[in-house]
Each structure stands twice: as structure tokens, then as C-alpha cells.
Amino acid sequence: MPDSNDERYAEILRRIQERRAQTASAPVQSLLAAALNDLNAAGFLENLRRRPPAGQNVYGPRTAQARAGAAPQWLASILWHKPKGYYHYQTLGLLGIWAVDLGETVQIIVGRRLLAFNAPVFNPESYYHHLRRRYDLHYPDDSAPPDETRRLLTAIYQADERLALRGQIEAALRGWVEALTGSA
């Protein structure tokens, strides 16, 4: 809580600016949400959570979005995973489907990221309790799209081609599972 009037005034101005940015980005976020919905992004990730790859704990999916006013705007459906076992907490994997606003078009990205454990101590009871609900308590991250080297699929979204793109997304996710488990 701000202590002085100047700090309170600065906080009020910051909130007003943040609210304006959210209002300005709402139409873009709505367009990105429609694209992910048309592609059944959350459904694909939910199926992976229900039938996780062998030897993996999988959590999610969860929706993430770019901060208001950030460029480019993006929206994602993501899940997080780690190998089963007590000692596999150092690194957490993210798998997601991102819709990125490129002005006139929407880019779809299927990709993965690795996050390093970033907490002062590892308390298994607290760790697993929170990990089921959210990952960013122990693995701070902005959930931004992965860089080029971590992408499984990059495509331009077109509503009339969505069924073909769904097949490509499904194939990319299947390839990720096979690479993770070592099965062919």
C-alpha cells in the first residue's frame, strides 16, 4: 500500500493507463480467442493431460495472454509437465498453442519451453499442492511464445483452412509425445 499522496497518485495513474491498454487490446484478444477456439487448442491439451505421455506428470491447461499494451498481442493455451519422481523439480516443461496478432493475420504457434526452478527451497508438499493449480509460483515466467528453435509448428490461421490446421496441430503434438517418450 502506498504511503504518501504522491505514491497513491502515481498508483492511480498507473492503473488508469493499464485499464486503457486493456480496453484497447480487447478486440485483438477476442480475435485471438476465436482462432484458438476454432482450432480446439484447449481440447487438444486437455486430451494430453487426461492421457499423459509415459513417465510424465501433466497439469493444466491454462490460458495466458500478453500484458495489455504489449506488442505483439498474443493469447495461449498452455500445459506444464515434468518427469515423474521426487527429484525432477529443477526443470519444468511448458507446451502450448499460441495465437499471435501480426496485424492483418493471426499466427498460430505450437511450441515448448523449459523453465528453471526458482524458489529458495524445495518443499515437496507445498510444491505439488501449488503445481497442480499453477506453475508460475516456482517457475516465474511470462508464458510468451517460444523462440524459433522451440517451435513444433508455425502457421498462419485462416478460418476456412482450420480443419487442415487442426490436423497439423494434432500431428505436431503427437510428434512431441513420441519425442518425449522415445516411441516411434
Side-chain angles (χ1 to χ4, degrees), residues 86-160:
Y86 181 82
Y87 294 105
H88 298 287
Y89 66 89
Q90 295 90 352
T91 304
L92 185 75
L94 284 186
L95 177 68
I97 303 171
W98 285 264
V100 181
D101 177 46
L102 299 179
E104 297 296 316
T105 61
V106 174
Q107 182 182 45
I108 301 299
I109 299 169
V110 178
R112 55 192 166 74
R113 298 186 52 211
L114 294 176
L115 307 176
F117 183 76
N118 188 15
V121 296
F122 175 66
N123 177 339
E125 189 173 316
S126 171
Y127 173 81
Y128 284 105
H129 172 78
H130 290 291
L131 190 62
R132 285 185 192 96
R133 292 155 184 80
R134 53 188 285 200
Y135 66 89
D136 54 356
L137 185 63
H138 295 97
Y139 304 89
D141 183 54
D142 63 356
S143 306
D147 61 24
E148 299 284 334
T149 62
R150 298 277 187 182
R151 293 182 181 180
L152 305 171
L153 172 71
T154 303
I156 298 299
Y157 172 75
Q158 295 175 337
D160 56 340

Side-chain angles (χ1 to χ4, degrees), residues 52-57 82-85 181:
Q56 293 286 311
N57 287 326
K82 65 174 226 46
K84 290 182 179 180
T181 59

Side-chain angles (χ1 to χ4, degrees), residues 10-57:
E11 177 67 16
I12 290 168
L13 289 178
R14 186 191 63 76
R15 287 184 183 179
I16 290 170
Q17 191 173 23
E18 190 175 285
R19 188 165 292 157
R20 283 183 183 155
Q22 285 175 345
T23 302
S25 67
V28 172
Q29 290 293 328
S30 179
L31 177 72
L32 299 175
L36 288 177
N37 188 43
D38 286 349
L39 295 172
N40 191 30
F44 285 134
L45 297 178
E46 180 65 28
N47 288 340
L48 276 175
R49 185 192 61 78
R50 286 186 189 144
R51 290 185 297 275
Q56 293 286 311
N57 287 326

Side-chain angles (χ1 to χ4, degrees), residues 55-85:
Q56 293 286 311
N57 287 326
V58 177
Y59 309 97
R62 167 181 160 176
T63 302
Q65 67 184 27
R67 289 183 185 203
Q73 284 291 304
W74 54 266
L75 184 68
S77 186
I78 55 177
L79 56 79
W80 50 103
H81 63 92
K82 65 174 226 46
K84 290 182 179 180

